[in-house]
Amino acid sequence: EEAITMELNFETEAKNAQMTARCLQARRDVRVPRVMDSLTCKSVLTMEFVDDMFKVNDKQAIASNHLDPRECGKLLADVFHEMALVHGHVHGDPHAGNVYLRVHKCTPKGCTPELVLLDHGLYHTVPDAMRRDLCKLLLASVSPFATRRRREALATRFAGPLFRFFPPILSPWFVFSARLTMGDLSAAAKQQLPKNVSMQDVGECLVALHDSQGDGGNMLGVLHSFGYTRGLLNFLDFPERLRLQSMIKYAIIGLLPEDQRARALKEGTGALPLTARVQLIAGDMYVYLLWLLIPVLVLMGPFLFIYEIWRGIIFFLWRLGGLNPLAWEE
């Protein structure tokens, strides 16, 4: 009822659109149609007309406009990850009818895409503490140095008693860093609840997801939005490795001090201090490492605990040497 009321108030939609435009103002490859305030009220929304658009899942239009589907996917992933992990401003309904592409510019080397975002009636505002915890959980899930205790403590804040299932929802690659049993995986394959999960656990999990930290943050809405964008990326054949690299990049930027976040978005990551650039390189390397390890981890099957022991030893040696590879995750 609350969501429907919000979507039917076009003044709210106008404010959401203007907020989105402000969040993404540093990007030249995204367009949010400008709101005509003098022609807008609660029952009427008037925006500028944007021509030459086509749906983000129209492969024929992408090809005929000489755009690279992978470049289109990268733009889509980067924009929505930036909005969620840096600004805490999440589009509530990013399906193919609300996300469009058009040609941004063309050079002798080819054309580049521009993303056009429509339908700003429903947004999820992610409180800053919740946004930072989500960034930390993503980094803890991909990093070879994070302890299981840290990952589970962060995941519990979002999913309560079903914390171990939460990281794989963010990325199926995180299944290797979650404490899942063969029984859990078997039940999932049959679309059943695991035997050790009660309906009370499910209820508490849903309550936690709906108001993750008691501050009004709706993680269910964020997951819903992520699911839509992942579906669009799958349609574009955008690899999970690149999606995860985009997610980790913006999780790292989202944890930087405010002035550095603004500089990274406005001037690019090359304008950041050396320590921040090293963090971004490390994040990329972590994803590559996980990508290389996946075939090995699949073969290890029930012996995944060896992987956890290896991670623990590496983490201990780093700390013993006086280094703290998690300094930018805490």
Side-chain angles (χ1 to χ4, degrees):
E1 182 181 345
E2 183 180 346
I4 292 174
T5 301
M6 186 185 302
E7 291 200 67
L8 291 176
N9 184 340
F10 290 119
E11 288 182 343
T12 299
E13 180 166 352
K15 291 177 182 177
N16 287 338
Q18 291 165 339
M19 177 65 176
T20 302
R22 286 194 296 272
C23 288
L24 300 174
Q25 62 184 340
R27 305 192 68 105
R28 296 293 175 262
D29 51 6
V30 180
R31 176 173 295 195
V32 179
R34 185 166 53 90
V35 175
M36 308 299 184
D37 287 319
S38 61
L39 301 174
T40 296
C41 61
K42 286 186 177 181
S43 56
V44 176
L45 173 65
T46 308
M47 306 179 79
E48 71 169 314
F49 178 75
V50 179
D51 56 4
D52 299 324
M53 300 190 309
F54 48 90
K55 289 185 178 181
V56 72
N57 62 352
D58 188 340
K59 288 186 176 180
Q60 185 175 351
I62 290 173
S64 63
N65 282 277
H66 310 290
L67 295 175
D68 181 355
R70 182 161 292 191
E71 194 172 352
C72 295
K74 184 179 185 305
L75 174 59
L76 178 69
D78 285 352
V79 167
F80 281 96
H81 291 150
E82 177 187 330
M83 289 175 66
L85 301 173
V86 179
H87 304 294
H89 187 61
V90 181
H91 194 302
D93 205 17
H95 56 74
N98 292 333
V99 183
Y100 286 77
L101 291 168
R102 65 198 299 266
V103 175
H104 182 218
K105 61 182 178 180
C106 289
T107 66
K109 295 182 179 180
C111 298
T112 57
E114 179 181 60
L115 198 67
V116 183
L117 301 179
L118 304 180
D119 190 357
H120 303 275
L122 179 62
Y123 268 78
H124 304 291
T125 299
V126 182
D128 200 58
M130 174 179 161
R131 179 189 63 78
R132 292 181 63 84
D133 281 347
L134 180 58
C135 292
K136 292 174 185 177
L137 176 60
L138 288 166
L139 298 179
S141 296
V142 78
S143 170
F145 305 111
T147 62
R148 173 179 284 178
R149 179 182 299 176
R150 175 170 178 75
R151 291 195 307 274
E152 293 183 351
L154 287 165
T156 300
R157 298 176 193 178
F158 294 106
L162 300 186
F163 61 87
R164 67 185 188 277
F165 299 101
F166 188 71
I169 294 176
L170 298 173
S171 171
W173 285 17
F174 293 162
V175 71
F176 300 108
S177 60
R179 191 168 56 180
L180 299 180
T181 66
M182 293 303 295
D184 293 334
L185 298 177
S186 176
K190 299 175 183 176
Q191 298 185 342
Q192 298 175 350
L193 281 179
K195 292 182 179 179
N196 58 348
V197 173
S198 67
M199 290 305 297
Q200 180 177 347
D201 292 335
V202 173
E204 291 178 7
C205 175
L206 289 173
V207 170
L209 286 170
H210 186 67
D211 190 1
S212 300
Q213 298 171 11
D215 52 8
N218 183 359
M219 182 51 61
L220 272 178
V222 176
L223 293 178
H224 176 81
S225 180
F226 278 4
Y228 264 134
T229 53
R230 187 189 300 178
L232 295 176
L233 291 171
N234 288 341
F235 191 87
L236 293 170
D237 299 319
F238 195 69
E240 179 65 13
R241 174 179 62 82
L242 296 182
R243 187 184 81 91
L244 198 51
Q245 283 180 314
S246 169
M247 190 179 284
I248 295 303
K249 171 186 174 180
Y250 285 99
I252 294 170
I253 293 174
L255 290 175
L256 293 174
E258 187 174 351
D259 61 326
Q260 293 186 23
R261 292 203 306 268
R263 191 184 314 163
L265 299 177
K266 184 177 182 180
E267 303 174 32
T269 55
L272 290 172
L274 178 60
T275 52
R277 281 180 280 150
V278 169
Q279 292 166 11
L280 288 164
I281 293 171
D284 249 4
M285 289 176 59
Y286 291 167
V287 177
Y288 270 115
L289 178 62
L290 187 57
W291 176 60
L292 293 171
L293 280 174
I294 279 178
V296 178
L297 297 174
V298 169
L299 291 175
M300 287 176 66
F303 302 102
L304 279 176
F305 69 90
I306 298 175
Y307 173 60
E308 285 296 328
I309 293 173
W310 171 77
R311 285 168 61 124
I313 292 172
I314 295 293
F315 179 78
F316 174 75
L317 292 176
W318 272 76
R319 283 292 177 95
L320 196 64
L323 298 173
N324 182 5
L326 291 180
W328 48 279
E329 298 179 15
E330 292 177 347

